[in-house]
């Protein structure tokens, strides 16, 4: 149901205006209102806070639909985005009430999540200082910083310098200089940080699935229309096979994303604590696959359209840039590869079929 | 799609794991070392019969078609796919050598008259000893292009006279009967095909030759010839009217397929075995400290997991009786290549240990290549996919 709502909204209001949003660096105000009225803004918030209380699986469905129309708009429209997850993991309802709910009521407000592994921001005497080279936003009301073992938020001293941005321009693009109060000090917990990162990766991975689906679908349809050497180019076997492999890449990535979401939701049902039952590894794996598949599918989408693909009259070049930019978020593929690979150290039979023997393996 | 396995399937998984660890893996390695199939008199086959394995899915009630779900005692096609993966994890060659009606069973079930089902499948209901049946379509000159088979069938009185040669038929020399496909008129393509049950000892059936394969040595892939082989007309599966009817429904047939995801799942199982063996080797030699090794193992795990989910989805659609031609071919196109990659990388990590020729990963490297060939090559799968995706025509372009 929520998937159909998202699909119809994306089809009617996002896809036809993607280039307009891109050049305006933002989404038209009435589209923001529609998005909120449909209940998409508080998808994963508890009902008590005015949300729909849906889980990770629903999130992957919605994100795929929105990103298949316009991934930049998907980011622009969600005031919380993946910044939601550290708030839930570390602060619970109180943190959501303090930080998330106010953003929902402020038109165009944005929270941004920074995964800070190096770290790039230093925190001394309760202040966070440093520079984030790129955030996909022109406005940041709340910065949520996630590290391996802790999280904190910054809501003052956020200075933005607008950038052109490689992609996702509908959401904006800025360098973010931070010099503000970091609070609270006691959000420290490795399992909670892993839980938040797992959900955040799934959020971005499902956007990637949407982007590559759009590219695969569009180029497939184009290849059936375009004629060369006496037949539709799709009927030349080199392209017929490529189009088949692109479809496999999209479906394989989507199944990994959905299975990872299922693991997160199942863990949420089973335990009060944010305990994840192999979910963290599955989400890192899904992110990685989504990134690799998207970077196979979207450049080939351009390739199938040939010279037209390179022109901005067609959307395929935009999807190629979006796939590249999205897969740079949250530490990108190398951080995901590191996390997914480390899970091999503790797991003797990583793909054993009997779930009973697996329940303890991935728990933090 | 539901990602949970039902309890029956999990129970069967445990049974297979026990059999696999104790018997299948060692038997597979032995056959590989000796370079010959496990002989039909091996006690393992008697044990399987005692355990109630190797029986027919046929219900025993003429005219009652066995539902896939009931037949495999669990969750239908998906259950079959899951169990096939586990069997092949332990040894795919041994799995194919299991007694039972095997690939001969589906044509008898789908085309055979109630009397034929009774005749040929009754001995497989509660077999007194290990029994096999076989299936023979492939010929020296016709593999993926099945329309090109040349084995001929000519009606003579109460018999059909068969002439031709068949290749690579699993378990054929030990089979009670073989379903042989022949043509009454090569110019008709598949419409000219007829399926015959040729029983062991029929005069003219002979020249059995167990082929020498690169891998999967535990089961016999056998070539044989039919020389003026007179088969009773009662052994033509269905009857002539059946084939006339079927020709009229061309195209409506085969809207779903459960075999390709099963074969694909076998590849996943073999790839998983290569992954686990490689991981064990890497642990033992402290190689996991290096991210170069971890990264590649991670990729293998990820691609195998995606391939498994593609198999599950195709099977799940088959269980729902929903069209799955695209999804079934997708699973089959993806999984064997991933599994081969797992074995190739495993050999990389083993280094010269892999070069010795006595490591399980090296055996898997040879075994798994077959999976991209049987039941439609990877290329054929992409053609089937392209027919669905871009309406690739069946003529000149392919």
């Amino acid at each position: 149901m929520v998937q159909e709502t998202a699909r119809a909204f994306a089809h009617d209001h996002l896809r036809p205006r993607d280039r307009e949003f891109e050049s305006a660096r933002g989404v038209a105000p009435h589209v923001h209102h529609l998005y909120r009225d449909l209940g998409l803004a508080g998808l994963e918030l508890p009902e008590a806070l005015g949300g729909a209380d849906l889980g990770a699986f629903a999130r992957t469905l919605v994100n795929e639909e929105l990103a298949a129309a316009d991934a930049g708009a998907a980011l622009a429209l969600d005031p919380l985005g993946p910044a939601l997850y550290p708030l839930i993991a570390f602060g619970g309802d109180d943190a959501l009430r303090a930080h998330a709910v106010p953003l929902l009521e402020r038109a165009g407000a944005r929270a941004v999540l920074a995964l800070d592994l190096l770290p790039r921001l230093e925190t001394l005497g309760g202040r966070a200082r440093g520079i984030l080279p790129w955030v996909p936003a022109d406005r940041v009301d709340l910065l949520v910083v996630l590290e391996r073992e802790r999280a904190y938020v910054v809501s003052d001293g956020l200075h933005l310098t607008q950038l052109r941005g490689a992609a996702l321009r509908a959401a904006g693009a800025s360098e973010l200089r931070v010099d503000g109060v970091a609070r609270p000090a006691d959000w420290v917990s490795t399992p909670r940080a892993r839980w938040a990162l797992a959900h955040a990766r799934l959020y971005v991975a499902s956007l990637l699935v949407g982007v590559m689906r759009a590219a695969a679908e569009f180029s497939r349809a184009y290849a059936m229309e375009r004629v060369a050497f006496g037949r539709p180019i799709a009927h030349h076997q080199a392209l017929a096979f490529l189009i088949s492999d692109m479809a496999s890449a999209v479906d394989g990535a989507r199944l990994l994303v959905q299975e990872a979401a299922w693991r997160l939701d199942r863990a949420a049902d089973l335990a009060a604590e944010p305990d994840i039952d192999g979910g963290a590894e599955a989400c890192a794996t899904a992110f990685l696959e989504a990134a690799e598949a998207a970077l196979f599918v979207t450049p080939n989408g351009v390739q199938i359209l040939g010279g037209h693909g390179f022109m901005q009259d067609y959307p395929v070049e935009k999807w190629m840039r979006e796939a590249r930019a999205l897969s740079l978020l949250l530490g990108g593929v190398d951080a995901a590869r590191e996390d997914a690979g480390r899970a091999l150290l503790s797991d003797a039979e990583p793909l054993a079929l009997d779930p009973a023997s697996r329940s303890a393996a991935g728990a933090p | 799609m539901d990602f949970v396995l039902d309890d029956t399937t999990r129970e069967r998984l445990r049974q297979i794991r026990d059999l696999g660890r104790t018997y299948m893996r060692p038997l597979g390695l032995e056959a590989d070392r000796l370079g010959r199939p496990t002989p039909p008199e091996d006690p393992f086959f008697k044990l399987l019969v005692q355990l109630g394995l190797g029986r027919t899915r046929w219900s025993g009630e003429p005219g009652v078609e066995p539902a896939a779900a009931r037949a495999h005692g669990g969750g239908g096609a998906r259950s079959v796919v899951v169990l096939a993966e586990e069997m092949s994890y332990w040894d795919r060659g041994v799995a194919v050598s299991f007694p039972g009606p095997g690939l001969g069973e589906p044509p008898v079930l789908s085309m055979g008259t109630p009397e034929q089902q009774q005749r040929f499948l009754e001995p497989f209901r509660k077999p007194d000893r290990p029994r096999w049946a076989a299936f023979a379509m492939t010929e020296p000159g016709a593999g993926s292009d099945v329309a090109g088979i040349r084995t001929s069938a000519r009606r003579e009185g109460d018999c059909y006279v068969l002439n031709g040669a068949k290749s690579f038929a699993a378990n054929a020399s030990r089979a009670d009967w073989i379903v042989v496909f022949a043509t009454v008129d090569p110019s008709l393509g598949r419409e000219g095909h007829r399926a015959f049950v040729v029983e062991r000892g029929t005069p003219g059936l002979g020249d059995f030759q167990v082929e020498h394969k690169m891998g999967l040595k535990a089961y016999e892939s056998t070539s044989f010839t039919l020389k003026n082989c007179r088969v009773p007309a009662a052994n033509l599966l269905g009857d002539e009217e059946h084939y006339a009817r079927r020709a009229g429904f061309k195209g409506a047939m085969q809207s779903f397929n459960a075999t390709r995801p099963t074969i694909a799942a076998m590849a996943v199982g073999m790839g998983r075995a290569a992954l686990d063996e490689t991981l064990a080797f890497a642990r033992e030699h402290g190689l996991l400290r290096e991210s170069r090794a971890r990264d590649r193992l991670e990729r293998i795990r990820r691609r195998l997991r995606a391939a498994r989910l593609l198999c599950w989805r195709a099977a799940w659609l088959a269980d729902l009786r929903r069209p799955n031609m695209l999804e079934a071919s997708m699973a089959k196109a993806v999984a064997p290549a991933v599994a081969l990659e797992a074995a190739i990388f495993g050999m990389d990590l083993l280094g010269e240990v892999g070069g010795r020729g006595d490591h399980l990963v090296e055996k898997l490297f040879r075994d798994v290549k077959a999976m991209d060939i049987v039941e439609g090559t990877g290329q054929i799968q992409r053609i089937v996919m392209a027919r669905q995706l871009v309406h690739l025509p069946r003529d000149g372009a392919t």
Side-chain angles (χ1 to χ4, degrees), chain A residues 25-190:
Chain A
R25 302 179 69 98
V27 174
H30 83 272
V31 178
H32 273 283
H33 293 141
L34 260 172
Y35 178 87
R36 202 181 320 165
D37 293 346
L38 290 170
L40 294 170
L43 200 66
E44 290 165 275
L45 283 181
E47 278 177 41
L49 299 178
D53 206 13
L54 292 172
F57 197 85
R59 166 57 67 192
T60 66
L61 298 178
V62 167
N63 275 16
E64 178 182 333
E65 295 302 332
L66 298 181
D70 188 347
L75 289 176
L77 286 165
D78 188 352
L80 303 170
L84 170 70
Y85 304 116
L87 300 178
I88 294 177
F90 288 93
D93 283 4
D94 288 345
L96 293 176
R97 219 170 270 120
H99 300 294
V101 175
L103 295 194
L104 294 180
E105 287 153 6
R106 228 178 284 161
R110 292 283 304 281
V112 162
L113 173 66
L115 178 68
D116 201 21
L117 301 178
L118 289 175
R120 291 163 298 184
L121 305 180
E122 61 175 23
T123 47
L124 284 172
R127 286 190 80 79
R129 287 197 189 82
I131 290 176
L132 300 173
W134 165 60
V135 294
D138 279 353
R139 161 183 177 172
V140 179
D141 299 72
L142 179 75
L143 174 68
V144 177
V145 181
L146 180 64
E147 297 177 358
R148 286 288 183 201
E149 296 169 5
R150 65 163 183 162
Y152 59 88
V153 303
V154 184
S155 53
D156 68 319
L158 301 170
H159 308 284
L160 286 92
T161 309
Q162 247 183 38
L163 305 167
R164 189 169 61 93
L168 308 168
R169 232 167 275 150
S174 305
E175 178 184 279
L176 179 59
R177 186 166 59 81
V178 182
D179 185 1
V181 179
R183 65 204 158 103
D186 61 347
W187 281 5
V188 180
S189 157
T190 304

Side-chain angles (χ1 to χ4, degrees), chain B residues 147-284:
Chain B
I149 60 168
R150 284 287 170 272
T151 296
S152 64
R154 192 181 71 246
R155 180 87 193 222
E156 260 186 32
D158 287 347
C159 285
Y160 283 84
V161 181
L162 271 52
N163 277 290
K166 291 290 178 184
S167 317
F168 317 149
N171 300 322
S173 82
R174 60 187 71 182
D176 290 1
W177 45 262
I178 307 168
V179 175
V180 172
F181 281 77
T183 177
V184 291
D185 181 353
S187 71
L188 292 177
R190 296 188 77 158
E191 278 182 44
H193 287 191
R194 299 291 181 271
F196 299 92
V197 177
V198 182
E199 293 166 89
R200 189 214 302 268
T202 308
L205 169 68
D207 296 334
F208 287 101
Q209 188 189 334
V210 176
E211 301 288 353
H212 298 284
K213 291 178 290 203
M214 173 167 74
L216 297 177
K217 300 184 193 228
Y219 76 93
E220 52 158 310
S221 293
T222 304
S223 302
F224 61 90
T225 59
L226 300 136
K227 289 177 183 160
N228 290 321
C229 180
R230 297 176 70 84
V231 178
N235 287 23
L236 170 68
L237 284 179
D239 47 34
E240 278 297 341
E241 275 172 38
H242 165 85
Y243 293 91
R245 267 199 315 276
R246 198 175 66 161
F249 282 101
K250 203 174 56 175
M253 282 166 45
Q254 286 199 343
S255 65
F256 59 87
N257 176 300
T259 313
R260 292 199 296 266
T262 304
I263 301 284
M266 293 173 183
V268 173
M270 298 160 84
R272 175 158 67 88
L275 172 65
D276 283 357
E277 290 303 305
T278 306
L279 255 179
F281 182 90
R283 274 211 179 87
E284 198 180 320

Side-chain angles (χ1 to χ4, degrees), chain A residues 7-37:
Chain A
R7 182 181 296 160
F9 167 75
H11 176 267
D12 296 346
H13 301 286
L14 301 186
R15 181 72 182 83
R17 302 174 69 180
D18 58 346
R19 291 296 189 181
E20 174 193 330
F21 297 155
E22 185 180 39
S23 51
R25 302 179 69 98
V27 174
H30 83 272
V31 178
H32 273 283
H33 293 141
L34 260 172
Y35 178 87
R36 202 181 320 165
D37 293 346

